[in-house]
Amino acid sequence: MSNELVQFLSVVAPEAIVGTGICVVLLAGLFAGDRARDATYLLSMVTLVAAAWVTGSAAPNGSLTGGAFVVDSLSVVLKMFAYAAVAAVLVYARAYLVGRRMDRSEFHLLVLFALLGIMVMVSAGSFLVMYLGLETLSLALYAMVAVERDAPMGAEAAIKYFVLGAIASGCLLYGISLIYGATGALNFTDVAAALQTTTGARPLAAAVGIGFLVVGIAFKFGAVPFHTWLPDVYQGAPACTTLFVATVPKIAAFSLALRMLGDGLDVLASDWRFLLGAVAIVSVVVGNLIAIAQTSIRRMLAYSTVGHVGFILLGFASGGAEGINAALFYTLVYIVMTMAAFGLVILLSPAGQEADAFDDLRGLNQRSPWFAFLMLLVMVSMIGVPPLAGFWAKWWVLSALLDAGQLSLAIVAVLFSVVGAFYYLRVIWLMYFEPPAMTGARMAPELDLRLLLSVNALLVLGLGVFPGNLLRLCARALGAVSG
Amino acid sequence: MGIVDVIFGFNALVLVASAIGVISSRNTVYAALFLVLSFVTSSILWLLIEAEFLAIVLVLVYVGAVMVLFLFVVMMLDVEVAAVREGFTRYAPFGVIMAGIVVFELLTLFWARASGLPIAAELVRRAPDASNTREIGVALYTNHVFEFELAAFILLLAIVAAIMLTLRSRPGLKAQDVAAQVKVRREDRVRIVKVPAERGE
């Protein structure tokens, strides 16, 4: 092999592994027929392990010629986290899919495609690569929402998501084209260099472009006013898809915001900080207010996501390395918390049905004290009560805001997280102080599902008691980017 | 005024006229043919800015393949023209707004030309032996090979998703099982029944 090819492959090795895994799973699903049910699941897991091994053993620095694709400590940390999260999603989804006779190979295939998109976005060094990664992720997500195509709600959610997502992609692309027009560059480093020497109409064109980029970022995060797809998708999609859509793509959204705005357009930071701050604070307010009125647990979690996303974006808006560090910490903690919450929703969904109304949570303590306790941990963490992980996440975002002198934003954020405590507490009330609505048998899910859910929820507690390790990991990951 | 300007002016006029023809002709087949004409004229315009390869590809791919397919579809579907035109007056105000935005953008383009943005730079003329095809090949398969491969994966994903969402295995679907057909033996298909011959009374 030529020297250039070796160098190329050494940089994109994890992506190449996942790409190969996709092809293998595709062929296995095609030829193995009904026997593929276990085969594609196991092959997906093998792909994840192999990708994690390659990512971990490769040097954490390198880039393709021209810098369109970079491997740095941030990309390594985010990729590792994405592998773990995807593996957890596959385990959660397995019992659900088998119980509904939906365990065809397509779900695993689409999850791997989405993972490929996330990995590309995490490592993107240019607008073009970022956009291609985003499209890979988005297309896989649209298809995953519609995976149960005969369910009317799933189809409706998929159409809404697809149309709105296409508009958001268009906005993002238009913003990219404006920035390309202003700077003549697509790589983030080149864009940043070109903006250093700006004169004439260039800053104006770039600032308008930033406006469109923020629209795309806000849509991918699900921030107000681009959040309308979230409740429908969370409620309409099968629970295993919801679990995926709600968690792992947020890693990609974080990278989308950090690499495009932080790396490429840092010179114009005052412009995008203002926009993100506005979007963020409206998200915290609207998300927490509307969540109170929900009667479906999934819609409630969707609006609670909007509130959490507001906090993540507040970290960006506060500016400085500390704020971005807090945003990364919040993103990772949010993923762990949300995964546990939706894992429980999957667990509560009896075969052939979807746990959706609050009634399904009623009296959970009598049916299963352990799972009720785990859900209690997650809900309390989402409120932001010490010593759980959610508390530290909120704490560091707020302290970054205060350091940046944005007292009013911090006060509004705190006020509305107190408002948000109401609907989380209602879940706890239903679980512990209400009689069970249905006289179902005790839940006896598979061992791997029970084990994973326990580990996942206890991780929320563990990260809360010992937040230092994760925070140091975040700081080390970001050190390569901001310094 | 050189010959290039004459060619440009003529083709630009034909392009605009055929573009208007695409949206105004009542017959859908004529509209598709007008679209073919606009593709051909724009490919001549591309030749003028020395993008020879793209000009040829435009004719080969769009005129030769895509539009022919399009014509087939149009002829087969037999679209009801009147039904398509129903919403015209209802959407007219929106159309006027869009037209206003486009006119505004065109005016800003003239302003941008004076403002020194990189897009306003003069066309870089190449040497006569510079290979357009080679440059595009190098850009696509060497400099941007990673993006190229990614696009391939997006297409694969689109195929998988489209098949997943549309392929239905209906109950009672009659399909051939070649292996079973080959393996079949005489005893499976033919039953020899001894029928006692009837005796005449």
Side-chain angles (χ1 to χ4, degrees), chain A residues 308-439:
Chain A
H308 288 302
V309 160
F311 263 94
I312 295 173
L313 292 179
L314 276 179
F316 277 103
S318 73
E322 198 191 344
I324 290 173
N325 203 353
L328 178 58
F329 185 83
Y330 204 118
T331 307
L332 299 184
V333 166
Y334 161 82
I335 290 171
V336 174
M337 291 191 302
T338 310
M339 194 164 280
F342 276 107
L344 203 87
V345 171
I346 283 186
L347 198 91
L348 286 173
S349 307
Q353 283 176 326
E354 300 276 343
D356 194 17
F358 274 128
D359 285 349
D360 294 315
L361 285 171
R362 213 173 275 263
L364 183 64
N365 186 37
Q366 290 176 32
R367 288 159 64 204
S368 168
W370 175 240
F371 290 130
F373 171 69
L374 294 180
M375 190 67 167
L376 172 79
L377 279 183
V378 174
M379 288 296 129
V380 171
S381 170
M382 282 193 174
I383 298 173
V385 174
L388 290 149
F391 165 73
W392 295 108
K394 284 195 167 61
W395 171 264
W396 274 310
V397 167
L398 291 173
S399 87
L401 274 179
L402 290 179
D403 284 354
Q406 288 168 319
L407 184 66
S408 51
L409 284 185
I411 290 175
V412 175
V414 168
L415 268 181
F416 279 89
S417 13
V418 173
V419 172
F422 171 75
Y423 55 85
Y424 295 123
L425 284 175
R426 190 167 62 175
V427 171
I428 296 171
W429 170 267
L430 282 172
M431 288 191 305
Y432 279 91
F433 302 110
E434 293 270 332
M438 47 183 177
T439 52

Side-chain angles (χ1 to χ4, degrees), chain A residues 19 69 106 132 136 146 149-150, chain B residues 146 154 157 164-165 167-168:
Chain A
F69 185 86
E106 286 92 345
L132 286 171
T136 315
R149 63 187 171 194
D150 292 324
Chain B
F146 180 68
I154 294 179
L157 167 61
M164 184 197 85
L165 293 179
L167 183 71
R168 284 168 191 276

